[in-house]
Amino acid sequence: MGNRVAREDFEWVYTDQPHADRRREILAKYPEIKSLMKPDPNLIWIVIMMVLTQLAALYLVKDLDWKWVIFWAYAFGSCINHSMTLAIHEVSHNSAFGHYKAMWNRWFGMFANLPIGVPYSISFKRYHMDHHRYLGADGIDVDIPTDFEGWFFCTTFRKFIWVILQPLFYAFRPLFINPKPITYLEIINTVVQLTFDVIVYYVLGVKSLVYMLAASLLGLGLHPISGHFIAEHYMFLKGHETYSYYGPLNLLTFNVGYHNEHHDFPNIPGKNLPLVRKIAAEYYDNLPHYNSWIKVLYDFVMDDTISPYSRMKRHQKGKVDLD
């Protein structure tokens, strides 16, 4: 089962957010980066094509044997659905229609949510904004694992199980760390999603519904793309809080791998993040980064010094403005 990891608590820090300082420096030196802060209309058409692709897949699997339903859910549907969650990530930053049409982004996020099978888009946006404003803040940033996760998932075998169950922890962790009152948009998101699920069940059958839900569960668990969950902020190197990934899977994930760049400039769509790195190369090229999310997953599971505790955690100072 592996040995218990040496780390017994989170890495507590009392520093301000590092990305704000670097953002100010870069903008002072390269003000042209502001021109990249604009919507990406291509995102709209990509999301529409992804939704249509999954609708076609739902039809194609409805009469397959169960083993092939699960096979295609992992081999194909998981890639589409995980990619769709990252499209929703882009939409949460208003990258589809811009900040002046914020509600258009919310409705479009619900549309993108349909093939995922569970209501996700609106709640994700609320909590993700906290993640950017209060990175690592205790009791606010729900991207930080709970104390139980750090304490229990501390051996090779248990960390492997934790990776498989990541979508469940991400879904339920907010209820324990930072519960929020339900908004009317979340109710609408839930009603729209459940209505779509019922239509899939009655029109196409249970196999199509299982394919859709399994694609999300498998794609967000033990899957190469899921390496980004760990790669982004887990401290494989002490003192380094955020890491970028510059490998080929960025093509499927709207450049979410450019994570230092994203946290420095969350208003810049993923499409333009490589340009940020190119313009301000001296700020990024020497930072620790990854080229393989699969290796990140392997190292997380096998390295006895890394666990869910391997995160920077902050005592938040000053006023907290939560949605």
Side-chain angles (χ1 to χ4, degrees), residues 45-61:
W45 301 109
I46 293 171
V47 167
I48 290 173
M49 290 304 300
M50 291 169 67
V51 171
L52 293 177
T53 298
Q54 275 296 64
L55 288 176
L58 292 175
Y59 176 80
L60 292 172
V61 303

Side-chain angles (χ1 to χ4, degrees), residues 259-278:
H259 217 65
N260 267 302
E261 295 85 346
H262 172 60
H263 270 268
D264 289 350
F265 300 100
N267 291 336
I268 295 180
K271 172 186 174 183
N272 291 333
L273 291 177
L275 291 175
V276 173
R277 185 192 181 200
K278 182 178 180 180

Side-chain angles (χ1 to χ4, degrees), residues 174-233:
L175 302 179
F176 295 94
I177 294 181
N178 184 15
K180 296 174 181 278
I182 297 174
T183 67
Y184 81 96
L185 282 177
E186 286 174 306
I187 294 173
I188 294 173
N189 191 182
T190 300
V191 170
V192 168
Q193 187 62 57
L194 293 181
T195 301
F196 177 78
D197 293 350
V198 169
I199 292 173
V200 169
Y201 175 76
Y202 278 103
V203 174
L204 299 176
V206 67
K207 290 182 179 179
S208 295
L209 182 64
V210 169
Y211 164 86
M212 179 172 63
L213 296 173
S216 296
L217 185 64
L218 297 172
L220 295 167
L222 187 63
H223 192 280
I225 298 177
S226 292
H228 80 87
F229 289 132
I230 295 170
E232 290 166 358
H233 297 293

Side-chain angles (χ1 to χ4, degrees), residues 251-321:
L251 295 173
L252 299 178
T253 59
F254 303 92
N255 285 329
V256 75
Y258 287 76
H259 217 65
N260 267 302
E261 295 85 346
H262 172 60
H263 270 268
D264 289 350
F265 300 100
N267 291 336
I268 295 180
K271 172 186 174 183
N272 291 333
L273 291 177
L275 291 175
V276 173
R277 185 192 181 200
K278 182 178 180 180
I279 293 170
E282 69 270 28
Y283 288 92
Y284 297 110
D285 286 352
N286 294 324
L287 293 177
H289 61 270
Y290 303 110
N291 295 303
S292 170
W293 279 334
I294 294 176
K295 187 175 187 303
V296 168
L297 288 171
Y298 177 84
D299 289 345
F300 176 82
V301 171
M302 301 304 295
D303 189 336
D304 288 340
T305 66
I306 304 296
S307 80
Y309 271 141
S310 302
R311 293 288 300 265
M312 278 193 184
K313 204 171 184 182
R314 286 182 170 81
H315 289 295
Q316 185 60 37
K317 299 180 294 183
K319 182 180 178 182
V320 175
D321 182 18

Side-chain angles (χ1 to χ4, degrees), residues 25-38:
E25 285 188 32
I26 292 175
L27 286 177
K29 190 172 182 179
Y30 302 108
E32 63 268 29
I33 282 181
K34 292 181 181 179
S35 67
L36 303 177
M37 300 177 183
K38 57 187 178 182

Side-chain angles (χ1 to χ4, degrees), residues 66-80:
W66 278 108
K67 64 181 179 182
W68 290 112
V69 171
I70 301 304
F71 171 82
W72 286 114
Y74 187 79
F76 179 75
S78 63
C79 298
I80 297 290

